[in-house]
Amino acid sequence: MTDTADHTASSRDAGARLLARVWSEIGGDPDRLVGVAPPPVAPPLPSRLATGSLAWAGVAAATLAAGRDARRLDPDRIALAYRSDRVLTVDGSTPPVWSPLSGFWRTVDGWIRTHGNYPHHAAALCAGLALDPSADAEVVRSVLQDLHTDDAVAAISATGGLAVPVRREDRVVDAALRRTPVVAVERIDVDAEPRAIARSDDDLPLRGIRILDLTRVIAGPVATRTLALFGADVLRLDPPGLPEPEWQHLDTGHGKRSALLDARSDRMHDLLADADVVVLGYRPAAIQRLGLAPDALARRHPGIIVAQLSAWGTDDPHRAGFDSLVQAESGIALAESSDGSTPAALPAQALDHTAGYLLAAAIASALDHRRTRGGSWVVRTSLRRAAAELLGMPRRRMPAAETRVDATPHVAGFRVGGSDIVTARPAIPGFEFRPPRPWASDQPRW
């Protein structure tokens, strides 16, 4: 562990190395890295782990992929973009972000972390604990404190709820993960011809690109929001009957259209036939069941780019997960603990946001590869892989003090569906967001 000046220097070096590695993995032009270095002060995301440096590297990769100058990145703007849920307001009010049933809970022999932000996950959690669906946090707490960790996780998981044990980091596992790509880019079809991107006069590098967004929550929507920022036509598709929390859509829906469609419908492949990119946020096992596996898509739609995002990676294809759960099980929550035993969270959903920016950078790079070399391409990353990267970066003995950032120059206002919303502005210089559209207000067509 390091502190103050030593930590700042080593953290900056780690951020620079991460950016260089990612840029090489996605096949970026090395000349674009010349002169790019982390700022003297990292984005103010106070934590023991190098969250600010991780955030800078993620945003810098997406900035370079858009052909913009990463030396212009503003650390305060990055920090607010990563904590965008804290600056979001709807008609002047800050929406509740966390369900009462999402959080850390003490058990007989440790802690677990649950996620109940979606109503169906909260109901499944209660069912696993044999509680009434209307049970409040105090009732859940009283039940969990009498259960062992493994028993509590097994009971909740058996009914489709989401819970993980809070574990200490496993340095051997993390080191092995760090030997794999942070974000993998692979050519999967050699026969597809090169396909040019129609350039426009408005300096938007992805104008004319069509992207199907089959993601939810934060990481995938951050990736596709970034691609929409670059000018792509992004159509987000959600399954009927599974509403997205309004705040979440308003926070990450900028510049996209939003429609409902069952992924198993024939209409899905009609849309895929005219898409350049499909971004998948389903569990890897579900992707196979839905007929959306990258190899199958490349055979049916030559030249398509398939972006695959998951919580735990392809080695754990059946597991669902969220940033908070990956933080807990990977060891981040205890690495951030103030007393070594009570878990704590990062100052932002940093795994989500970083994975989103890295995925956007890899997609933009894959589009460039397709333009010059042809082929279909698959890009992959996971929240767990981002966690391993963060756990391998320098850390402090104590987190830096919270720095108050004036949000005024870093937010924008929009009128959406009859409401006035305020959201964070883009962390990437040279672009401004188009407003989100109301969720599910569009038709599933290009």
Side-chain angles (χ1 to χ4, degrees), residues 70 113 141 151 160 163 180 229 237 261 320 328 333 349 361 372 405 420 429:
R113 175 89 196 204
R141 182 174 290 106
D151 293 338
T180 67
L229 186 69
L237 298 175
L261 187 69
Q349 303 289 292
T372 58
V405 175
D420 292 312

Side-chain angles (χ1 to χ4, degrees), residues 30-45:
D31 289 343
R32 291 193 192 177
L33 278 177
V34 175
V36 176
V41 178
L45 293 166

Side-chain angles (χ1 to χ4, degrees), residues 186 188-189 278 280 284 287-288 291-301 304-308 376-380:
E186 178 188 358
I188 55 174
D189 172 19
V278 58
L280 303 172
I287 287 171
Q288 293 286 344
L292 298 174
D295 288 345
L297 288 174
R299 286 193 300 271
R300 188 164 181 175
H301 309 290
I304 198 166
I305 291 164
V306 184
Q308 194 172 351
S376 302
W377 297 78
V378 60
V379 303
R380 293 187 178 97

Side-chain angles (χ1 to χ4, degrees), residues 231-307:
D233 178 6
V234 178
L235 176 60
R236 171 172 166 158
L237 298 175
D238 284 280
L242 194 59
E244 185 80 333
E246 181 188 45
W247 76 265
Q248 214 156 251
H249 174 69
L250 294 175
D251 190 39
T252 58
H254 301 74
K256 312 175 200 177
R257 290 177 294 121
S258 170
L260 300 181
L261 187 69
D262 190 317
R264 295 163 294 190
S265 70
D266 291 339
R267 180 66 182 145
M268 178 64 72
H269 280 284
D270 292 340
L271 291 169
L272 285 164
D274 292 321
D276 295 282
V277 181
V278 58
V279 187
L280 303 172
Y282 294 105
R283 288 170 292 160
I287 287 171
Q288 293 286 344
R289 289 197 305 271
L290 293 169
L292 298 174
D295 288 345
L297 288 174
R299 286 193 300 271
R300 188 164 181 175
H301 309 290
I304 198 166
I305 291 164
V306 184

Side-chain angles (χ1 to χ4, degrees), residues 372-396:
T372 58
R373 300 162 55 189
S376 302
W377 297 78
V378 60
V379 303
R380 293 187 178 97
T381 194
S382 71
L383 305 188
R384 184 62 182 89
R385 180 61 186 84
E389 200 64 31
L390 180 59
L391 286 163
M393 296 173 80
R395 59 186 75 180
R396 296 175 179 268

